[in-house]
Amino acid sequence: MSEARVGLVIEDDQDIRELVRVVLSQAGFDVHVASTGSAGVNSARELNPDVITLDLGLPDIDGFEVARQIRMTSDAYIIMLTARAEELDTLMGLEAGGDDYLTKPFRPRELRARVEAMMRRPRSSSDAKHAPEAADPEMTHNGLAVSAGSRTAVLNGMELKLTRTEFDLLVALLETGRIVRTKADLARRLRNEPYDVGSYVSDADERAVEVHMGNLRKKLGDSIQSPRWLETVRGVGYRLAPAVHNN
C-alpha cells in the first residue's frame, strides 16, 4: 500500500486553487484538484483523500451540500475556505461535516500548519490495525463503549458515524471524566497541542468547538437539560455527565 498522502482541492478560483495545490504539494501530498462541487464529490469518492480543502462558493453545488455528500463516503479532514467572514457560514460549514475553516485571504503557512496538525491525529480505525491490542483499552460510560485505538464508538450495539473531530472531542472528555475541559483546551486538542500550552485560541475556534459538540450530542441522542454523556458547564466548557448506575 502506498504511503503517499492524498490531498484534494475543490476550488473554482484558479489562482487560489493553484496556491492551495502548491501548499499541499510542499507538505508532501499527492494533490488532485476539482473546480466544481460535483467533480469534487466524485473525486473524493474515487481518491479517498486524507485531507480536502473545500471552497464554500462553488458554481454548481454550494460547499455545504458538497461537504454533506462527501461525508456519506469519506472520513477525510475537510477544511472549509470561504471569502465570507460571516459566522453563520462557517457554522453551517462545520455542521455540514467540515473539521476546520479559514477565511480568505489566508496565509499559506497558516493553511499548512492547520493541515499538518490534522495529519498528526489518527485518520480512522484502519490506522490502528498495526497497533498492539494492549494499546487499545475500551472506555465505557453509561452504555457507550469507545475504543481510541480502533476509533470506534458503539452505543446500544450500533456503531456511531462520527467525524474524526467529533470522535477526538468525545475521547478527550472520556479521558478526563468529571474534570471540566474548557473550550480552549478542546480547541488545542484538535490542533494536537499539549493542554498546558498557552497558544492563542480565538473566539471563532471556541465557537467551532461548540458546533462540533452540538453535532456530537445530536448523534448520541443526548439531552442538554438531562445529559447522559456530555455535560455543558455554562461559561466554561464541558465534562462527562455523571455515571448512571442501573439496577
Side-chain angles (χ1 to χ4, degrees), residues 94 98-99 165-166 169 190 208-216:
L94 295 174
D99 293 288
T165 295
E166 292 160 3
L169 290 172
L190 297 180
V209 168
E210 291 177 12
V211 175
H212 288 306
M213 291 296 291
N215 291 342
L216 177 56

Side-chain angles (χ1 to χ4, degrees), residues 84-106:
R84 295 170 284 190
E86 295 168 9
E87 185 182 35
L88 179 61
D89 286 332
T90 58
L91 300 184
M92 287 176 61
L94 295 174
E95 289 173 350
D99 293 288
D100 202 352
Y101 67 90
L102 285 174
T103 302
K104 303 173 187 175
F106 55 86

